[in-house]
Amino acid sequence: MNTEIIGVVGMFIVTLLLAIPLGKYIANIYSGKKTFLDFLFSPIEKIMFRISGIDQTKEMNWKQNLTALLTINFVWFLVCMFILMNQGWLPLNPDGNPSMSPDLAFNTAISFLVNCNLQHYSGESGLTYFSQITGIMFLQFVTAGTGMAACAVVFNATKERQTESLGNFYNYFLKSCTRILLPISAIAAVILIFSGTPMTFEGKDTIISMQGDTVQVSRGPVAAMVAIKQTGTNGGGWFGVNSAHPLENPTYLSNMVENILIILIPIAMVFALGYYLNKRKLSWMIFGVMTIGFLLLLAPTIMQEMKGNSAITAMGIDQHLGSMEGKEARFGSAASAYWGITTTVTSNGSVNSMHDSFTPLSGAFTMLGMMVNSLYGGVGVGFLNFYIFIILAVFISGLMVGRTPELFGKKVEAREVKIAAIIAILHPLLILVGTALASHYAANNTQMGWWFNGNAKGWLNNPSYHGFSEMLYEFTSSAADNGSGFEGLGDNNPFWNITTGVVMLLSRYLPIIGPVAIAGLLANKKYIPESAGTLKTDTVTFGIMTLAVIVIIAALSFFPALALGPLAEYFSVG
């Protein structure tokens, strides 16, 4: 067990050691400074801009940046929908997989468009090589780049000056893809290939198992997809069981690499802010608040999973390895718990074990990470979510001392606070309304007609508290753009495909529009030099205030729902 803990601690330390220099590198890219990869990517970027007719030097205001972001995302959605609904006759389909139904294609296209990667299908049988590469992998790159570009716009807006010019979305976007996501993914893919992850365009292979059975094993260009799925906090796997599959995550080394990638760029973006604004103390404050919240979820989860399931202990079954139901022996309970929390405090959502098999409290902590949705968070958008809580913390702090709230030398007024409040309330609203709707249908065993083949109870494989937790988890994962699930839920049907699709759309773009709008409004205000009465946002005191706001607004909003699900299950198990 000590070895397992050392492995977990080692992964986090390596992540931090890599994130700090990566943050400086990202800040240099967004600042337009020279980097060591300029010689390789500058000519490629110039060609791409020339072909597309985009002037990457043209400055945009916040509205123009958002218009560019939303327009190009809409085009990607249409292209991906076409591919998924026609993949059966398109090339690179050696296994003869069929096209998707309209409702499943709608859900899948939105899921990967918004960086959620919720999968209501099994990857190896639900998609072809063509759709995996041109649809899914393409979106895994560009949606991560979209989040990073939006974050770069906010970085630009927080500079100490008055301006409407906030850089160029296309410039930030392309450089995020070529100079950050692509190199890291390429390195990770090579490591995975040498670890045993397939990288081939051949169809299924026939093998003889150790017990003599003939088995058809799916494969494909897996290593390339796994690399970007982790690097871009996407999470959607090639195989149905994701990184619990021995070909998607063969060894403890591959497990460490994939787990480090989950939080590498989200943490690096925090340090990038410090280097970009020359406010490194601020970035350490933000990192500290995020890490405290992360550890408060991680420590009890590891303890619960290493202790084992009390119901199984009562049966007289030895659990010296911890709670191993739904887990891989090559990783162990501690590394599985660590992955479970890192993947849910970010928008990654990949799994190396089944979250549905976690002990009740561990399941609650994974959900709470998504409910807070600002502890590291997704690539780029993680900071945007945290930025909302900074605005609210500044506003409340200003009221407490009787001063007009200020942030980075700009007055925070009613319009900015209203936008922040709406975005903060949106997250629990989408989760709780969706869960209430599904629970109502299930509790009344409603005949669903076209929406579901049969009565609503049919989508639950588990009754009572855990069944409620499965529905709560599904909407929480959708609203957090996470994509993981309690997989006892029967979710591949029009009801779940459409409702979660709508939730994913709203919870992706409104939390991007809100922070960018706030940052743009603040950037256009007169800059006020710092004085003795200015609220300092890089102090421990302000960090505690921000953490308190997160706990009060985000975490406590969900306590009643958690009490009805995982907490009730915990006390019923004993």
Side-chain angles (χ1 to χ4, degrees):
M1 286 193 176
N2 289 336
T3 304
E4 290 189 71
I5 296 298
I6 291 171
V8 167
V9 173
M11 278 188 275
F12 186 79
I13 291 174
V14 171
T15 304
L16 183 58
L17 292 176
L18 292 173
I20 295 173
L22 178 59
K24 185 176 182 180
Y25 170 70
I26 292 172
N28 288 340
I29 290 173
Y30 294 154
S31 299
K33 297 178 181 177
K34 289 186 177 181
T35 64
F36 67 97
L37 290 178
D38 286 357
F39 77 98
L40 179 61
F41 291 114
S42 288
I44 298 174
E45 291 163 357
K46 288 178 181 177
I47 292 171
M48 296 181 74
F49 281 128
R50 190 176 297 118
I51 292 173
S52 60
I54 293 172
D55 180 5
Q56 76 274 23
T57 63
K58 180 183 178 181
E59 290 284 328
M60 297 179 175
N61 59 32
W62 67 270
K63 294 179 182 178
Q64 291 169 327
N65 276 301
L66 282 177
T67 300
L69 184 155
L70 295 173
T71 302
I72 197 169
N73 273 249
F74 181 66
V75 173
W76 293 334
F77 168 72
L78 295 178
V79 172
C80 190
M81 274 285 290
F82 174 82
I83 292 172
L84 295 174
M85 292 180 64
N86 295 276
Q87 65 178 3
W89 60 265
L90 290 171
L92 293 177
N93 187 11
D95 298 328
N97 292 340
S99 300
M100 281 189 173
S101 64
D103 61 288
L104 180 57
F106 170 79
N107 182 275
T108 304
I110 289 176
S111 177
F112 284 86
L113 178 73
V114 303
N115 199 241
C116 181
N117 290 204
L118 188 72
Q119 293 177 287
H120 288 174
Y121 62 92
S122 186
E124 62 267 47
S125 59
L127 293 175
T128 67
Y129 292 179
F130 183 83
S131 54
Q132 290 271 35
I133 295 170
T134 62
I136 302 306
M137 281 180 60
F138 170 76
L139 287 180
Q140 287 180 328
F141 270 101
V142 296
T143 58
T146 296
M148 296 180 74
C151 190
V153 171
V154 174
F155 283 4
N156 196 327
T158 55
K159 285 183 176 180
E160 296 175 343
R161 87 286 198 219
Q162 182 178 3
T163 184
E164 284 189 351
S165 301
L166 302 178
N168 184 292
F169 168 79
Y170 296 112
N171 185 46
Y172 292 140
F173 163 73
L174 186 57
K175 287 183 177 178
S176 297
C177 292
T178 57
R179 303 187 184 211
I180 302 169
L181 296 170
L182 183 59
I184 295 175
S185 298
I187 294 169
V190 170
I191 296 173
L192 291 173
I193 290 170
F194 279 101
S195 295
T197 302
M199 190 64 195
T200 178
F201 283 96
E202 295 183 16
K204 293 179 180 179
D205 195 10
T206 302
I207 66 169
I208 306 297
S209 70
M210 293 184 67
Q211 58 188 38
D213 297 328
T214 301
V215 181
Q216 294 286 313
V217 179
S218 296
R219 49 184 176 171
V222 183
M225 180 177 178
V226 174
I228 183 56
K229 93 167 187 187
Q230 300 301 88
T231 303
T233 61
N234 294 285
W238 184 278
F239 297 101
V241 293
N242 209 276
S243 285
H245 197 289
L247 294 183
E248 194 159 320
N249 189 7
T251 67
Y252 196 85
L253 173 62
S254 67
N255 187 72
M256 290 187 70
V257 171
E258 291 183 30
N259 210 335
I260 287 169
L261 289 174
I262 291 176
I263 55 175
L264 177 60
I265 294 181
I267 293 177
M269 291 297 288
V270 174
F271 291 111
L273 173 69
Y275 284 110
Y276 187 88
L277 300 178
N278 198 25
K279 294 179 180 289
R280 297 182 196 176
K281 191 176 177 182
L282 173 66
S283 64
W284 279 104
M285 183 280 291
I286 296 173
F287 171 74
V289 173
M290 290 179 170
T291 302
I292 289 171
F294 170 69
L295 294 176
L296 288 174
L297 297 175
L298 177 64
T301 302
I302 291 179
M303 290 174 59
Q304 287 291 314
E305 296 307 303
M306 293 187 73
K307 184 174 69 173
N309 190 315
S310 58
I312 296 177
T313 301
M315 298 168 63
I317 298 174
D318 176 58
Q319 292 189 89
H320 70 281
L321 295 177
S323 178
M324 289 301 293
E325 180 191 350
K327 296 181 179 65
E328 296 295 302
R330 65 187 184 279
F331 305 141
S333 55
S336 298
Y338 179 73
W339 186 302
I341 296 299
T342 55
T343 198
T344 48
V345 298
T346 65
S347 66
N348 186 271
S350 65
V351 296
N352 71 348
S353 61
M354 297 298 104
H355 289 189
D356 203 22
S357 298
F358 274 17
T359 55
L361 286 185
S362 298
F365 292 130
T366 58
M367 280 192 267
L368 193 55
M370 295 183 286
M371 289 167 174
V372 172
N373 203 29
S374 58
L375 306 176
Y376 302 147
V379 168
V381 294
F383 173 75
L384 297 186
N385 292 333
F386 195 88
Y387 182 73
I388 291 295
F389 289 111
I390 290 178
I391 295 292
L392 295 174
V394 166
F395 173 69
I396 294 171
S397 300
L399 292 179
M400 292 172 67
V401 298
R403 286 179 56 89
T404 302
E406 295 177 13
L407 179 64
F408 305 129
K410 307 296 177 69
K411 289 186 181 296
V412 179
E413 297 174 304
R415 184 165 47 173
E416 294 81 39
V417 175
K418 287 177 182 177
I419 295 172
I422 290 171
I423 299 303
I425 294 170
L426 175 72
H427 190 58
L429 177 69
L430 292 173
I431 294 171
L432 297 177
V433 169
T435 305
L437 181 66
S439 299
H440 169 75
Y441 288 141
N444 291 284
N445 200 23
T446 306
Q447 172 56 245
M448 299 302 293
W450 174 81
W451 291 91
F452 180 72
N453 185 21
N455 291 4
K457 270 190 179 178
W459 64 52
L460 292 177
N461 288 327
N462 293 283
S464 190
Y465 309 123
H466 196 75
F468 176 81
S469 295
E470 289 175 345
M471 294 184 288
L472 176 63
Y473 195 110
E474 186 75 1
F475 279 109
T476 302
S477 178
S478 301
D481 287 333
N482 184 268
S484 61
F486 273 9
E487 297 305 337
L489 182 71
D491 49 23
N492 184 11
N493 51 73
F495 175 81
W496 287 101
N497 286 336
I498 293 173
T499 55
T500 55
V502 172
V503 168
M504 285 187 287
L505 271 177
L506 294 174
S507 59
R508 167 67 167 185
Y509 293 109
L510 292 180
I512 288 178
I513 293 170
V516 172
I518 292 172
L521 293 171
L522 291 177
N524 202 27
K525 293 184 179 183
K526 182 181 178 181
Y527 173 69
I528 304 170
E530 187 175 298
S531 65
T534 301
L535 174 67
K536 294 186 179 296
T537 56
D538 57 3
T539 63
V540 174
T541 302
F542 184 76
I544 295 172
M545 182 68 186
T546 306
L547 182 61
V549 170
I550 292 172
V551 171
I552 293 170
I553 294 179
L556 293 184
S557 300
F558 296 101
F559 181 77
L562 291 172
L564 291 172
L567 297 183
E569 183 182 358
Y570 170 75
F571 287 113
S572 68
V573 171

